[in-house]
Amino acid sequence: MFVVFLKSIIIFVVVFFVIRLMGKRQIGEMQPFELVITLIIAEVGCIPMNDPYIPLYYGIVPIVTLGMLHIVLSFVSRKSVRVRKMLSGNSIIVINPDGIVYDALCKMNMNIDDLREAIRTAGYVDFTEIAYAIFETNGKLCVVEKQTSPQSESSGESKPLLPIELVVDGKIKEDNLLLSGTDRADIEKVLRDKKLKLKDLLYADIRQDGNAFFAPKYDKAFCTKLAISGGGNW
């Protein structure tokens, strides 16, 4: 029992100093290679702690090796742009002034619901408020908002409006269509006017004032006005 106790303290001290050498980053701020190294260190550190018959160096040597590997990779990535891109990747723009970048979502293996959750977490509920949304290499979302939103320009209202989804990945959300009082035929007419089919539409929503946002997969996003019934009570 005393051996396990002593080995646990030693492993803790070694891991502590190795993590300190790796830098003061939270898990959410780590680059992919840093996260992988951290997870492996946590795993190999448990091996000699759990079994008193496993020599202590079975844990210390891999931990120190991984710590040194992190220092080397961090140094090389600072000196070489090519290595930095290979290890950390590039920031990806998922929303630009033309709308939602569908190819970027596919590249990141994300769907529209993932994107909506990310922008809500960033403090936004409306795509029309956003000029640019960029996923950084550490997974964080950076949002640059527009100076004015289309609904504030057209209606002069300053109160916040909550968009409700009408179309996601080419499929109409019937419950929300009924809740918003929007006519399916109006959506289809807008698509026909833009020479689009429903399957070409990545996302569409509507606000309480009738202003709707359409984001095609491979074309520019646009805003239009749709008739709603029920006074926009959602």
Side-chain angles (χ1 to χ4, degrees), residues 107-148:
K107 184 177 180 180
M108 296 186 66
N109 197 25
M110 292 181 65
N111 57 46
I112 191 67
D113 291 327
D114 295 330
L115 180 60
R116 281 181 57 80
E117 181 178 341
I119 68 166
R120 285 197 297 267
T121 302
Y124 298 86
V125 296
D126 194 338
F127 284 120
T128 61
E129 298 174 353
I130 299 172
Y132 290 94
I134 306 165
F135 273 103
E136 305 296 350
T137 55
N138 60 8
K140 287 185 174 291
L141 180 67
C142 173
V143 175
V144 179
E145 64 179 82
K146 293 179 180 177
Q147 295 300 314
T148 56

Side-chain angles (χ1 to χ4, degrees), residues 66-84:
L66 289 168
M68 295 302 296
L69 177 63
H70 174 271
I71 293 173
V72 171
L73 290 177
S74 297
F75 176 78
V76 174
S77 66
R78 286 198 302 270
K79 299 297 182 180
S80 171
V81 175
R82 181 176 297 178
V83 173
R84 185 162 61 248

Side-chain angles (χ1 to χ4, degrees), residues 6 13 20 27 39 98 102 104 108-109 114-115 127 143 157 174 185 196 229:
L6 186 60
V13 173
R20 284 294 303 272
I27 293 295
L39 293 175
D98 290 336
Y102 179 66
M108 296 186 66
N109 197 25
D114 295 330
L115 180 60
F127 284 120
V143 175
E157 296 181 358
E174 299 292 346
L196 296 169
S229 61

Side-chain angles (χ1 to χ4, degrees), residues 167-232:
V167 180
V168 174
D169 284 329
K171 295 180 176 60
I172 291 180
K173 305 194 77 168
E174 299 292 346
D175 291 345
N176 289 350
L177 200 68
L178 182 62
L179 178 62
S180 64
T182 307
D183 194 336
R184 183 188 184 110
D186 290 342
I187 297 176
E188 294 172 346
K189 182 179 183 304
V190 170
L191 294 176
R192 283 197 304 271
D193 291 343
K194 294 289 183 177
K195 297 181 180 179
L196 296 169
K197 296 181 179 179
L198 188 59
K199 65 180 182 180
D200 299 324
L201 191 59
L202 174 63
Y203 176 82
D205 62 27
I206 192 167
R207 290 140 200 81
Q208 288 92 333
D209 61 357
N211 278 295
F213 171 76
F214 286 72
K217 291 180 178 179
Y218 300 108
D219 208 342
K220 289 185 178 181
F222 58 92
C223 294
T224 187
K225 193 84 171 182
L226 293 178
I228 59 175
S229 61

